[in-house]
Amino acid sequence: ATTPTTTTKRATTPRSAAGAGGTMERPGTAAGAAGGAGTWEAGREYGFATDVVHGTVAPDAATGAILTPIYQSTTFVQDSVEKYLEKGFSYSRTGNPTVRELERKVAFLERGAGAACFATGMAATVSVLSGFLKQGDHCVLTNVSYGGTNRVTRKLFADFGIEFSYVDFTDPAKVKAALRENTKLVFSESPSNPLCTLTDLQAVSDICKAAGALHVCDSTFATPVICRPIDHGCDLVIQSLTKFFDGHNMHVGGAVISATEELNDRIKFMQNMHGNIMAAPVAYSMLQTLKTMELRVRRQSENAAKVAAFLETHPKVDTVRYPGLASFPQRELADRQHRNGLHGTMLWCEVTGGVEAGRQLMNTVQRPWSLCENLGAVESIITCPAVMTHANVEKAEREAVGITDGFIRLSVGIEDPDDLIEALRKGLDALA
């Protein structure tokens, strides 16, 4: 079947890292000049908090329902052979109206030309690698990434004759030095999982453009609330929608946002062949949960800053890294690249006593903390990457970048910060 494209027009004025609202087209804008209920004021820039609620979504034309319906249908009836796909849909593996609305809204928030929503975040990552790399090609990948990304490059794509270089992306010069004549893709992650290191996205994007390579950034830790990589020259953005877009530990999903319609067409083609599109009920749920993403990320960032500041003062904590701390090695870049003075919900620490003490803290810390995988949800989560999220990464490779067996990753939720801090204090004080 022909793959219909999912596109959103570019903004007339690109937003900077400190920008607020956008001027991309939304339903009701064309009629806005005349005013009236249900229209948007033409030419006005609305704030991100408004965009994240309304964005590209309009009330149902037939009923006026304020929420996008769930189109729980495998197939879509055509009026004739000649009018095939005239209404935009044929089969839900290729495209579904509910999923399409989520794709349009995600693209709108990221300032992209289009987006594709997937069943999982890894499905999104695999589709990017499949779409832009072939036998004999080379990819420069950050040496600090989500464990699943590292694993799929080493255990799957390397077997296809694709070469990967794993590089320190905190230094753009090292990225440039790793480029080869056959480099087709440069894959950054900012902030990185789990070290929270940052990539100077504009600097790396400039390097890529000069070399004729595409720059894709996994921006899951940041979300468009904090950073929009396309504003910094990136060609593609990956989001694990499981995390902040869902934000409630309910669903898994992923997205690839493209800076151009041509790149989006390629990703949608990969999605159609792989058959890894998001299900309509999940898209419906995420259309609702993401409306509070800006509120949640602000609250979580405020809480994370307080938790990080507490940990930095505790005598049994050796190391704390959070982009909002004055002690963070890349604080200048964090302030320059992150929007609205926010630095996210993710941080990590190591405690005095090494691996045994670190694991003791994770095994004994009380609620509101939960010992589990995932991040970005309203519940605060404590994770042992060496056993959970990065267990598939070779031990020597993990330790070379600083992910020890006692490394503690914290995803701070929306609870009362005093309760979060007190639980950590009690656990730390009990360490031998």
Side-chain angles (χ1 to χ4, degrees), residues 15 20 28 37 46 53 65 81 106 143 187 249 307 311 318 354 367 376 384 395 400 408 427:
R15 299 183 202 175
Y46 289 90
V53 175
V81 173
V106 171
N143 64 350
F187 196 125
N249 286 314
V307 169
L311 290 172
D318 288 340
R367 306 301 294 274
C384 180
K395 181 180 176 69
I408 301 166

Side-chain angles (χ1 to χ4, degrees), residues 241-278:
L241 302 180
T242 308
K243 312 307 191 289
F244 296 94
F245 281 76
D246 176 271
H248 293 77
N249 286 314
M250 292 193 299
H251 298 292
V252 293
V256 177
I257 305 92
S258 300
T260 68
E261 294 183 6
E262 291 76 17
L263 291 173
N264 186 61
D265 289 345
R266 179 65 176 170
I267 291 295
K268 292 295 288 182
F269 183 57
M270 289 295 109
Q271 183 183 65
N272 193 41
M273 290 194 295
H274 291 164
N276 51 16
I277 192 172
M278 178 180 282

Side-chain angles (χ1 to χ4, degrees), residues 156-216:
L156 179 63
F157 286 95
D159 291 343
F160 298 157
I162 299 169
E163 297 178 296
F164 293 88
S165 296
Y166 302 88
V167 175
D168 177 5
F169 268 59
T170 63
D171 184 353
K174 292 182 179 179
V175 177
K176 184 176 182 178
L179 295 177
R180 305 175 187 171
E181 288 187 3
N182 61 334
T183 302
K184 297 296 190 289
L185 188 68
V186 174
F187 196 125
S188 64
E189 192 173 289
S190 188
S192 67
N193 184 357
L195 290 178
C196 298
T197 51
L198 306 181
T199 297
D200 187 329
L201 297 178
Q202 189 63 60
V204 172
S205 294
D206 291 344
I207 290 168
C208 291
K209 284 177 172 54
L214 294 173
H215 181 193
V216 57

Side-chain angles (χ1 to χ4, degrees), residues 406-420:
F407 183 105
I408 301 166
R409 191 187 76 177
L410 302 165
S411 173
V412 183
I414 64 171
E415 301 96 338
D416 189 305
D418 291 339
D419 294 333
L420 295 170

Side-chain angles (χ1 to χ4, degrees), residues 275-312:
N276 51 16
I277 192 172
M278 178 180 282
V282 175
Y284 172 83
S285 178
M286 287 194 180
L287 278 166
Q288 315 322 320
T289 57
L290 75 82
K291 292 176 182 177
T292 61
M293 181 170 65
E294 197 262 356
L295 289 173
R296 287 186 277 108
V297 170
R298 280 187 179 275
R299 170 74 177 191
Q300 289 171 276
S301 296
E302 292 168 1
N303 281 358
K306 292 176 181 178
V307 169
F310 158 73
L311 290 172
E312 201 168 42

Side-chain angles (χ1 to χ4, degrees), residues 142 144-146 168-170 189-199 221-222 244 304 308 320-325 328-331 333-334 337-338 343-349 375 385 390 401-403 407-412:
T142 174
V144 182
S145 68
Y146 169 58
D168 177 5
F169 268 59
T170 63
E189 192 173 289
S190 188
S192 67
N193 184 357
L195 290 178
C196 298
T197 51
L198 306 181
T199 297
F221 269 31
F244 296 94
V320 185
R321 288 288 182 265
Y322 175 66
L325 287 175
F328 187 69
Q330 296 176 287
R331 180 57 191 266
L333 176 59
Q337 193 162 273
H338 290 170
H343 297 293
T345 177
M346 304 302 300
L347 60 127
W348 65 271
C349 68
L375 61 94
H390 291 69
V401 296
I403 307 172
F407 183 105
I408 301 166
R409 191 187 76 177
L410 302 165
S411 173
V412 183

Side-chain angles (χ1 to χ4, degrees), residues 41-274:
E41 183 179 338
R44 177 174 174 180
E45 244 187 43
Y46 289 90
F48 189 86
T50 300
D51 286 348
V52 80
V53 175
H54 298 280
T56 55
V57 177
D60 182 65
T63 67
I66 198 166
L67 302 183
T68 301
I70 301 175
Y71 289 90
Q72 189 65 55
S73 182
T74 301
T75 192
F76 301 85
V77 176
Q78 309 297 307
D79 291 337
S80 68
V81 173
E82 290 75 20
K83 293 182 179 179
Y84 176 64
L85 279 177
E86 189 173 88
K87 296 177 182 177
F89 301 95
S90 171
Y91 192 66
S92 277
R93 188 196 73 235
T94 302
N96 174 278
T98 311
V99 178
R100 182 66 48 83
E101 283 303 312
L102 179 61
E103 290 171 338
R104 293 179 69 243
K105 191 166 186 180
V106 171
F108 180 78
L109 295 175
E110 288 280 5
R111 305 294 278 177
C117 288
F118 294 85
T120 68
M122 277 308 301
T125 296
V126 167
S127 295
V128 169
L129 297 171
S130 300
F132 301 105
L133 294 171
K134 64 181 185 303
Q135 184 177 14
D137 287 343
H138 174 245
C139 173
V140 180
L141 177 69
T142 174
N143 64 350
V144 182
S145 68
Y146 169 58
T149 302
N150 182 288
R151 173 175 54 187
V152 80
T153 58
R154 294 184 184 275
K155 303 297 185 182
L156 179 63
F157 286 95
D159 291 343
F160 298 157
I162 299 169
E163 297 178 296
F164 293 88
S165 296
Y166 302 88
V167 175
D168 177 5
F169 268 59
T170 63
D171 184 353
K174 292 182 179 179
V175 177
K176 184 176 182 178
L179 295 177
R180 305 175 187 171
E181 288 187 3
N182 61 334
T183 302
K184 297 296 190 289
L185 188 68
V186 174
F187 196 125
S188 64
E189 192 173 289
S190 188
S192 67
N193 184 357
L195 290 178
C196 298
T197 51
L198 306 181
T199 297
D200 187 329
L201 297 178
Q202 189 63 60
V204 172
S205 294
D206 291 344
I207 290 168
C208 291
K209 284 177 172 54
L214 294 173
H215 181 193
V216 57
C217 176
D218 185 331
S219 187
T220 297
F221 269 31
T223 81
V225 178
I226 292 173
C227 181
R228 283 185 292 248
I230 290 174
D231 284 349
H232 302 278
C234 293
D235 300 291
L236 299 150
V237 180
I238 293 172
Q239 286 287 351
S240 175
L241 302 180
T242 308
K243 312 307 191 289
F244 296 94
F245 281 76
D246 176 271
H248 293 77
N249 286 314
M250 292 193 299
H251 298 292
V252 293
V256 177
I257 305 92
S258 300
T260 68
E261 294 183 6
E262 291 76 17
L263 291 173
N264 186 61
D265 289 345
R266 179 65 176 170
I267 291 295
K268 292 295 288 182
F269 183 57
M270 289 295 109
Q271 183 183 65
N272 193 41
M273 290 194 295
H274 291 164

